[in-house]
Each structure stands twice: as structure tokens, then as C-alpha cells.
């Protein structure tokens, strides 16, 4: 058994040896012959004299079997080729800017191809959208591959001459695409809308639209029921000077009155896209201001009290308050010997316990800035069996106080109804000259003009009939210099000054400018007083004066013979008041605004066109100005109103005219329930025939009394990103 087991084991060993020999690839069972040893390369020795070239290759051993893969271990796996390194930074790319694009439209960049990457790279964008290979535009983060194309787009600016920028980033490399909207090519205008000033675009096709708006800010309550009266452009700055005052009252005939008080001039700046408030230039107010009176009544006495407020920037000393013509009236006050600081007040009280208990008298207030006079008047009269009283405190002065005369005028009036026992039945009903209870002075600065340099300004006041002179600072602040009172000027006055700054014209009346004063000419006359005055150059004359004189006459005068005595060339008489005039640059076409006459005749105001041949006016056409749009949808009853066209302006060719107008009602109901509304209208004018055709209108929410055409400022580009 043991011998069989040993034989079996031997057999297995023989079989295993055979299998191993077969797996090794040999042809017999002999062990493979070892490679013969390699000969060493001789060391390079140029000086050994062997004659061998050290650069010769050693001879190959003919008995050596060459390796199929030299240098590779036959027992190891082959090494793979190295992988390509990732590149996520693209080559630089760029977009071309888009110039003079339209306003508020989609603007597309040029298409660029991305190169220099070997795998997808992230794409991000700011201020726009992108599209890869013509796909849908998006703002989402995406990925782009080498050789792909990309395009960006954005919405152009809503204003002219504004740059919009889009930034695209791919793999850390960024490029920007910009578009610049072109400059506005239409006509710009400035108009008033209640207490707002609006920048208008007047397109070549006659359409009117609002480009910007800025409000006249409140000033210690003075802006209650305020209204803008005129707008004047500075001759050398992109600056506007806006005159405003208390809102006018109306009577049953549609006539306006009490348009005075709280007069101020404010500055605005503008470019082709925006209007901005720039500050108060001048406020026509006295150093001191009196309040409306407070009335106290008992069975034994009556008293009237009012406050004295310092409106200046410095303290004012009140040395004494003297009461004259007082009878039984007694005066008490806390004003004397106590400096009244800026914006602070003291009180004056007059009390009477006499037979009629009627406090009254003339009060003289001596202050460190001058002497003021005021009075409390009581007029006793009977009406319908009742005793009525009338109290009027008023502040006036004859001293030079650095303010115009109109700023010291005006009054407050209180009508008091008393019972037989001297007790007030009805509370006082306050009435002031400006129609409102925030009265300050009685100025109405109806127009302004500047000298050529813009450092001197002149303004007219309707209330006092004066022409005021102001110095103008670099920042546009106005400093009152002087006023020439009681000049023959009309209530719509417009001024003009010659280029030499030696003569000021108001209508056909002339004033010689001498330092800070104006010397009226001997030939001045109220019939020559005028408005809408301007100086131009004519075909046959170097200097012409155009103005509306005597309220209803359009006249052309030559100044070549004597600039202080305008000589009439042509005159045309209107049936009604002319509010304004305009003309083409060559003076061939004139237009005027004729206000309505008696409202009972149901006639609307008109725009009238004239042809002018250099010597005579020839009527060409006229059109009624109808503002019968839905003025008050919320009113509970119908009402009557009158139309007030205030201004007319024309382009240089005379082919387009623009007018501002407003409506106001005849009665108190409409004043409360239906606010004054306005409109800006445009007209086509046939320069050959003078035919007028209304082209467009822009309704406004307030009364529009002012309209001027302005040029696009030279430097008005902004950057918007």
C-alpha cells in the first residue's frame, strides 16, 4: 500500500513538471540559456592612442537575442499615456459698442466665438442677457464649450445721451458691451403745471410729451395756493429762474385779481433728460411780518392782538412802539428791549374799554433795521340791524430796508359781526390781499430778463409798477439792488435789454441804465407800455423792437435812428387783449394769442396768424382755442369756466407754434370742486398762407401760465449702468 502511494505521488510530480514546461513556452525540457554578459563601453580618452572613435557604437553581439520591447520589464503591465491638462481660461474676446441707439429698445451685440478652453466653462452676466449658439436669451448661469458662439443684449436707456453697460464673464475673462443713446433731436420746452415745472419734448411731427418734472418746494407755508407766473432762462448757464406768487382769485366774470404776495424766485437746472430744483434765489418779504389779528370781546372791553415775527436771518432790536390817535385804546407789548431772533415773534395787544370799545390807532415801530408803521382801524357801521367792525393791521415803511416796496405793502382784514352787547356773533373771516391766510408782502414779479453776462437781472412788479434790479452771483443767488417805481408798465410786462447793456425796454418805453438806477426817457408814455418785448435784427434794419403795447397792439419799431425813441414801422390793432406774440426768424410769419373779451359772448380766445412783408401786417388765419376737455369728472354739478391762453412760441422757421393755456371757473364752487386745469397745444403754420392747424395737445393737472423754448445743453451726458 505504501509503495502504491509513493508511485502515485511520483506520477503526479512528473505531470506537474510537464505542465510547467509547456506554460513556459520552451521547446524542450532544458533550462533557457543565459544571455552572455555585455561588454562595457570604453571610457572616452582622446589621449590613449587607441585610434578608436569614442563616438562609435559598440558592435552588437551576434549571439544575443534582441528584446521585443527594450527597457520594459516583461513581467509588468504597459504604462498608459499621460492625460491632457484642463484649460478653463478662454482667449480674450470683445464686443463692439453700439452708438446713437434709439431710446428704450433692445440692443444686440456682435456675435463672438469662444476659444482657448478644452472643457465646459461657466458663463455669468450682469446688466443684460446672453445667448449661446442662438439659444434663448437668459440671465441664468450657464456653460459654454470651445468653439461655441455667444451674443449679449440689453435694454437701452430711457433717456438720450446715456450709456448702458452689460458685463459678460466666461472662466474669469470679462468683456463689456455698451450702448449709447443718441442726443435728442426734437425741440425742448419748459412749461408750468400748477406748482410743478415740466420739461417737454416737442417732436418734429408736432407731438408733445413730458420728459421730466420737478416741484416748487414748500417754504414755511408760503406755497399754499401758490402759482408759477414766469420762467426765464439764464443766458450762459443751464439754469432757469421761476417767478411765483399767491394764486389768483376769480370773480363771476372770470376776471382774476389778488394775484400777489409771497413772491419768490427759485432756480432750476436742466439737461435734455431731467429737471432739478436748485434752490431759492430770492424771497420778497420784509424783515418783520405781522400776523392776522386775534379778537377778544367781553361786555366791558374789546381787544385786538397780533404777533410781530422776525423773518430775517439776524436778530432785530425793537426800541419802541408808539400808539397815536388812540383815544381810549391802550397798548401792551412784550417786544420792547427784547431782541427778536430769527423766526421768533413777540406780541402787541390793543384794548379799549371806552364808550364804543373800539381799539384803533396808528402804531409806529422803531427797530434796528428801520421804522415801520401799521394801524388798527375800526369802522363802525350798521347792516341789517347789526353792528359790524373792520380791523386791518398793515405793515409799511418809508425807510430803505434792502427790500422792494411791494414787500412792505399789503394788509390783513377781518370783518367782525357784533351783537348789541358787543359779543362776537360770527368768528372773524380772514381776507388778505393775496387771497390766502399766509400773506407776506404784495409783490407780483411778472417777468424777468438778464444782461448778456447773466450777472445782472431786472424784474417787473405789477403791484407797485416798478422795475427791480438784482445782482446775480455765480451760483444764481439774487441780491436786491434797487427799484425804480411808478414806471408806465402794463401788468403783463416783459423786458428786453440791448447788447451794450445801456438801454432797457418795456414795450416801446425806454430806460437808460446808469449803474444801479434806471433813468426813464422823456418820451415814455402809458400808451407805449408793453409786454412780450424783444429785440431782433431785421432785413432792412440792424435793430428792431417787437412788442405788444397798450395791451392790444402788436407793433414793430426800428431803433437805428434813435435807440431811446423807437420809431414805429408797423402796427396792428386787436379787438381784445393780446397775451403774447411770436414770430419766425425771418419775421415773415407772426402769431399772437388773443384773450377772450366779455365771457357772456361765448367766444373762446384765439390764436391769430399774420404775414409781415417788412412794412405791414396782413391777417392770414385764426383758430379758436377750445379747452372743453373733461375738466371735472368728479364734480356734482356742471359749471362755467373761462379759457386763459398765456403764451405763444414758434420755431425759427415759423412752421410750428406752441401755446400754454388753462381754464378756471367763474364761481367759488368750481374753485373748490374743480381745480384749474391746463394744456400745452401745438399748431402747424403754413409759412406761405399762414393757415393754422392744431396738431396735438398735452392735458395738464394745473394752470399753465408759462412756456419757453430752450436749446439742448452742450454738456448733458450721463452714465447709467
Amino acid at each position: 500500500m505504501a509503495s502504491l502511494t509513493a508511485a502515485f505521488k511520483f506520477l503526479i510530480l512528473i505531470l506537474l513538471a510537464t505542465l510547467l514546461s509547456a506554460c513556459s513556452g520552451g521547446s524542450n525540457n532544458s533550462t533557457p540559456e543565459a544571455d552572455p554578459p555585455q561588454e562595457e563601453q570604453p571610457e572616452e580618452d582622446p589621449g590613449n592612442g587607441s585610434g578608436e572613435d569614442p563616438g562609435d557604437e559598440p558592435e552588437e553581439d551576434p549571439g544575443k537575442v534582441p528584446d521585443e520591447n527594450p527597457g520594459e520589464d516583461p513581467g509588468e503591465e504597459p504604462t498608459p499615456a499621460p492625460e491632457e491638462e484642463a484649460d478653463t481660461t478662454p482667449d480674450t474676446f470683445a464686443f463692439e459698442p453700439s452708438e446713437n441707439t434709439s431710446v428704450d429698445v433692445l440692443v444686440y451685440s456682435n456675435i463672438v466665438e469662444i476659444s482657448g478652453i478644452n472643457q465646459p466653462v461657466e458663463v455669468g452676466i450682469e446688466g443684460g442677457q446672453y445667448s449661446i449658439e442662438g439659444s434663448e436669451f437668459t440671465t441664468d448661469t450657464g456653460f459654454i464649450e470651445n468653439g461655441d458662439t455667444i451674443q449679449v443684449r440689453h435694454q437701452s436707456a430711457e433717456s438720450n445721451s446715456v450709456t448702458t453697460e452689460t458685463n459678460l464673464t466666461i472662466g474669469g475673462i470679462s468683456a463689456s458691451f455698451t450702448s449709447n443713446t443718441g442726443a435728442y433731436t426734437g425741440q425742448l420746452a419748459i412749461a408750468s403745471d400748477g406748482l410743478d415745472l415740466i420739461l417737454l419734448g416737442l417732436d418734429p411731427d408736432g407731438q408733445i410729451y413730458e420728459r421730466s418734472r420737478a416741484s416748487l418746494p414748500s417754504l414755511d407755508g408760503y406755497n399754499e395756493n401758490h402759482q408759477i407766473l414766469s420762467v426765464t432762462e439764464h443766458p450762459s448757464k443751464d439754469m432757469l429762474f421761476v417767478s411765483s406768487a399767491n394764486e389768483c382769485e376769480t370773480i363771476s366774470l372770470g376776471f382774476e385779481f389778488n394775484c400777489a404776495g409771497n413772491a419768490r424766485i427759485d432756480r432750476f437746472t436742466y439737461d435734455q433728460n431731467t429737471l432739478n430744483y436748485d434752490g431759492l434765489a430770492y424771497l420778497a418779504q420784509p424783515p418783520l411780518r405781522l400776523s392776522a389779528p386775534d379778537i377778544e370781546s367781553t361786555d366791558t372791553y374789546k381787544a385786538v392782538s397780533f404777533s410781530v415775527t422776525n423773518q430775517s436771518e439776524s436778530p432785530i432790536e425793537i426800541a419802541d412802539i408808539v400808539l397815536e390817535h388812540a383815544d381810549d385804546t391802550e397798548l401792551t407789548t412784550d417786544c420792547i428791549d427784547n431782541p427778536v431772533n430769527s423766526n421768533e415773534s413777540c406780541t402787541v395787544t390793543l384794548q379799549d374799554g371806552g364808550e364804543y370799545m373800539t381799539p384803533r390807532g396808528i402804531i409806529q415801530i422803531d427797530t434796528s433795521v428801520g421804522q415801520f408803521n401799521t394801524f388798527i382801524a375800526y369802522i363802525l357801521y350798521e347792516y341789517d340791524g347789526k353792528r359790524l367792525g373792520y380791523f386791518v393791521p398793515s405793515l409799511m415803511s418809508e425807510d430803505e430796508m434792502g427790500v422792494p416796496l411791494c414787500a412792505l405793502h399789503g394788509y390783513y382784514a377781518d370783518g367782525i359781526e357784533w351783537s348789541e352787547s358787543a359779543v362776537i356773533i360770527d368768528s372773524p373771516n380772514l381776507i388778505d390781499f393775496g387771497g390766502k391766510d399766509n400773506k407776506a408782502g404784495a409783490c407780483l414779479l411778472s417777468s424777468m430778463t438778464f444782461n448778456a453776462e447773466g450777472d445782472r437781472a431786472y424784474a417787473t412788479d405789477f403791484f407797485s409798477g416798478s422795475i427791480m434790479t438784482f445782482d446775480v452771483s455765480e451760483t444764481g443767488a439774487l441780491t436786491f439792488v434797487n427799484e425804480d417805481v411808478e414806471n408806465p408798465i402794463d401788468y403783463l410786462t416783459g423786458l428786453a435789454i440791448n447788447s451794450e447793456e445801456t438801454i432797457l425796454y418795456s414795450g416801446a418805453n425806454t430806460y437808460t441804465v446808469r449803474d444801479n438806477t434806471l433813468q426813464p426817457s422823456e418820451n415814455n408814455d402809458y400808451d407805449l407800455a408793453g409786454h412780450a418785448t424783444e429785440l431782433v435784427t431785421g432785413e432792412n434794419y440792424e435793430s428792431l423792437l417787437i412788442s405788444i403795447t397798450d395791451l392790444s397792439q402788436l407793433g414793430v419799431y426800428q431803433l437805428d435812428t434813435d435807440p431811446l425813441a423807437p420809431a414805429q414801422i408797423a402796427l396792428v390793432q386787436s379787438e381784445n387783449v393780446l397775451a403774447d406774440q411770436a414770430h419766425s426768424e425771418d419775421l415773415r410769419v407772426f402769431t399772437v394769442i388773443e384773450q377772450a373779451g366779455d365771457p357772456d359772448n361765448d367766444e373762446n380766445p384765439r390764436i391769430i396768424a399774420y404775414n409781415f412783408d417788412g412794412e405791414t401786417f396782413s391777417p392770414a388765419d385764426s383758430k379758436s382755442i377750445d379747452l372743453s376737455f373733461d375738466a371735472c369728472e368728479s364734480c356734482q354739478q356742471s359749471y362755467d369756466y373761462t379759457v386763459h391762453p398765456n403764451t405763444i412760441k414758434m420755431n425759427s422757421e415759423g412752421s410750428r407754434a406752441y401755446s400754454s393755456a388753462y381754464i378756471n371757473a367763474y364761481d367759488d364752487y368750481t374753485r373748490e370742486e374743480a381745480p384749474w386745469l391746463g394744456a400745452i397745444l401745438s399748431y402747424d403754420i403754413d409759412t406761405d398762407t399762414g393757415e393754422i392747424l392744431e396738431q396735438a395737445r398735452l392735458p395738464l393737472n394745473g394752470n399753465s401760465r408759462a412756456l419757453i423754448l430752450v436749446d439742448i445743453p452742450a454738456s448733458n451726458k450721463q452714465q447709467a449702468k
Side-chain angles (χ1 to χ4, degrees):
M1 183 71 179
S3 61
L4 288 172
T5 301
F8 182 74
K9 291 180 176 180
F10 183 74
L11 180 61
I12 290 175
L13 289 172
I14 293 174
L15 291 172
L16 288 173
T18 304
L19 290 172
L20 289 172
S21 175
C23 290
S24 66
S27 58
N28 50 48
N29 294 333
S30 63
T31 304
E33 185 175 336
D35 291 338
Q38 295 283 343
E39 294 183 1
E40 293 184 4
Q41 290 281 12
E43 294 183 2
E44 185 175 348
D45 185 9
N48 60 10
S50 63
E52 295 181 358
D53 186 351
D56 292 342
E57 295 289 334
E59 295 182 2
E60 187 174 326
D61 186 355
K64 180 181 177 182
V65 179
D67 291 338
E68 294 180 2
N69 297 301
E72 187 176 299
D73 187 347
E76 296 180 358
E77 292 292 331
T79 302
E83 295 184 2
E84 185 179 7
E85 185 178 352
D87 188 351
T88 60
T89 302
D91 296 334
T92 302
F93 59 94
F95 297 107
E96 299 174 1
S98 178
E99 302 291 343
N100 293 318
T101 60
S102 299
V103 172
D104 198 20
V105 297
L106 278 173
V107 186
Y108 293 78
S109 74
N110 55 304
I111 299 173
V112 298
E113 181 178 331
I114 302 303
S115 60
I117 56 177
N118 56 19
Q119 64 181 38
V121 175
E122 186 175 276
V123 179
I125 195 166
E126 293 181 355
Q129 299 173 309
Y130 69 89
S131 168
I132 298 175
E133 289 290 310
S135 62
E136 183 178 351
F137 280 88
T138 181
T139 59
D140 297 336
T141 300
F143 291 87
I144 193 169
E145 297 184 1
N146 196 61
D148 285 349
T149 58
I150 193 167
Q151 184 181 31
V152 300
R153 72 179 185 183
H154 60 224
Q155 195 79 8
S156 66
E158 296 181 354
S159 303
N160 296 94
S161 299
V162 175
T163 298
T164 302
E165 183 175 0
T166 296
N167 288 300
L168 181 75
T169 302
I170 301 176
I173 300 298
S174 297
S176 65
F177 169 60
T178 59
S179 68
N180 298 288
T181 51
Y184 181 63
T185 58
Q187 172 68 58
L188 292 179
I190 306 292
S192 63
D193 182 9
L195 277 177
D196 287 351
L197 207 64
I198 51 177
L199 175 67
L200 299 175
L202 310 177
D203 280 356
D205 61 358
Q207 298 304 305
I208 310 167
Y209 63 95
E210 181 178 321
R211 297 177 63 83
S212 182
R213 177 180 292 255
S215 296
L216 193 68
S218 177
L219 184 64
D220 295 334
Y222 285 10
N223 275 70
E224 299 171 13
N225 302 291
H226 230 54
Q227 64 190 1
I228 293 175
L229 299 172
S230 68
V231 179
T232 306
E233 186 179 14
H234 192 276
S236 61
K237 303 179 186 293
D238 301 330
M239 190 178 291
L240 305 167
F241 288 77
V242 178
S243 170
S244 62
N246 277 336
E247 184 179 80
C248 297
E249 301 283 349
T250 57
I251 61 176
S252 59
L253 294 179
F255 176 76
E256 297 179 330
F257 71 104
N258 281 355
C259 314
N262 296 350
R264 54 188 283 195
I265 299 173
D266 293 80
R267 295 186 309 272
F268 289 77
T269 59
Y270 75 100
D271 57 32
Q272 61 183 332
N273 297 314
T274 58
L275 269 173
N276 294 289
Y277 180 72
D278 192 49
L280 179 68
Y282 181 74
L283 179 62
Q285 64 177 19
L288 296 178
R289 175 182 179 183
L290 304 186
S291 71
D294 292 326
I295 311 298
E296 183 182 358
S297 176
T298 70
D299 290 338
T300 57
Y301 72 89
K302 287 184 282 188
V304 176
S305 299
F306 57 89
S307 64
V308 181
T309 301
N310 179 3
Q311 297 186 125
S312 69
E313 298 180 355
S314 303
I316 294 178
E317 297 272 358
I318 298 180
D320 198 7
I321 299 180
V322 179
L323 178 64
E324 299 176 350
H325 309 290
D327 296 334
D328 296 324
T329 300
E330 297 181 358
L331 183 149
T332 59
T333 180
D334 60 359
C335 297
I336 299 175
D337 296 330
N338 293 312
V340 183
N341 294 321
S342 178
N343 296 319
E344 291 185 357
S345 303
C346 59
T347 303
V348 176
T349 300
L350 289 89
Q351 179 176 310
D352 196 309
E355 180 180 359
Y356 296 105
M357 295 187 293
T358 55
R360 61 193 174 193
I362 296 176
I363 304 171
Q364 179 177 299
I365 305 176
D366 294 326
T367 77
S368 55
V369 295
Q371 185 181 89
F372 295 90
N373 295 297
T374 186
F375 62 90
I376 298 293
Y378 174 78
I379 304 172
L380 181 65
Y381 61 97
E382 297 283 338
Y383 178 74
D384 196 21
K386 299 175 183 178
R387 298 169 63 194
L388 301 179
Y390 193 61
F391 294 88
V392 183
S394 178
L395 183 64
M396 295 170 289
S397 177
E398 296 180 358
D399 291 347
E400 293 290 339
M401 296 192 179
V403 295
L405 181 64
C406 60
L408 298 172
H409 277 250
Y411 60 83
Y412 288 98
D414 270 303
I416 311 301
E417 183 178 328
W418 306 93
S419 68
E420 288 297 329
S421 59
V423 176
I424 296 177
I425 298 175
D426 294 328
S427 59
N429 177 27
L430 180 65
I431 306 170
D432 70 44
F433 190 83
K436 306 301 167 189
D437 60 359
N438 59 340
K439 174 68 179 171
C443 297
L444 189 151
L445 306 180
S446 55
S447 66
M448 287 185 65
T449 192
F450 290 87
N451 63 357
E453 290 77 15
D455 58 2
R456 179 59 61 92
Y458 302 91
T460 55
D461 173 57
F462 163 69
F463 181 82
S464 61
S466 65
I467 300 176
M468 304 177 192
T469 302
F470 295 90
D471 281 336
V472 186
S473 71
E474 281 294 321
T475 61
L478 300 179
T479 301
F480 176 76
V481 175
N482 190 31
E483 69 178 324
D484 294 271
V485 299
E486 298 181 358
N487 293 303
I489 61 175
D490 72 25
Y491 70 97
L492 294 173
T493 302
L495 300 171
I497 189 169
N498 65 352
S499 58
E500 296 81 10
E501 302 177 19
T502 57
I503 303 175
L504 189 72
Y505 295 88
S506 173
N509 287 328
T510 62
Y511 301 84
T512 301
V513 180
R514 294 179 179 173
D515 296 327
N516 295 331
T517 63
L518 300 176
Q519 180 65 43
S521 299
E522 296 180 356
N523 297 326
N524 286 0
D525 188 271
Y526 278 98
D527 291 339
L528 298 176
H531 57 277
T533 306
E534 60 179 317
L535 300 175
V536 298
T537 299
E539 183 177 352
N540 300 319
Y541 300 94
E542 291 186 5
S543 184
L544 291 175
L545 170 73
I546 301 172
S547 185
I548 296 172
T549 59
D550 199 22
L551 296 180
S552 58
Q553 297 176 342
L554 173 63
V556 178
Y557 305 81
Q558 62 93 357
L559 304 176
D560 292 353
T561 304
D562 184 355
L564 286 173
Q568 178 182 309
I569 296 175
L571 191 74
V572 60
Q573 176 74 50
S574 174
E575 296 179 1
N576 298 304
V577 171
L578 298 179
D580 198 9
Q581 61 85 17
H583 54 81
S584 60
E585 188 173 11
D586 61 10
L587 304 183
R588 291 180 55 243
V589 181
F590 277 76
T591 54
V592 296
I593 289 291
E594 182 187 63
Q595 295 181 337
D598 186 350
D600 292 336
N601 62 16
D602 296 326
E603 289 185 4
N604 283 322
R606 297 184 300 164
I607 174 174
I608 305 174
Y610 293 97
N611 292 323
F612 182 62
D613 61 6
E615 295 181 353
T616 58
F617 287 106
S618 302
D621 195 11
S622 68
K623 282 290 183 296
S624 174
I625 300 176
D626 182 11
L627 293 188
S628 58
F629 49 82
D630 236 348
C632 185
E633 297 177 355
S634 62
C635 293
Q636 301 298 315
Q637 66 185 58
S638 61
Y639 60 90
D640 293 326
Y641 62 84
T642 182
V643 178
H644 296 270
N646 245 46
T647 57
I648 185 75
K649 304 298 176 187
M650 295 185 73
N651 62 1
S652 59
E653 295 82 9
S655 59
R656 181 70 46 74
Y658 305 94
S659 177
S660 66
Y662 62 95
I663 63 173
N664 71 288
Y666 296 157
D667 51 45
D668 292 336
Y669 163 77
T670 308
R671 283 187 57 80
E672 298 298 328
E673 300 296 329
W676 293 359
L677 300 177
I680 305 296
L681 304 97
S682 69
Y683 300 89
D684 281 341
I685 310 292
D686 189 309
T687 55
D688 293 325
T689 65
E691 182 181 3
I692 305 170
L693 177 65
E694 182 180 332
Q695 187 69 21
R697 63 175 58 192
L698 176 69
L700 302 175
N701 293 322
N703 62 70
S704 183
R705 297 170 179 267
L707 172 68
I708 62 172
L709 304 183
V710 295
D711 294 329
I712 297 175
S715 56
N716 53 31
K717 287 199 172 184
Q718 308 171 50
Q719 295 294 319
K721 299 187 179 181

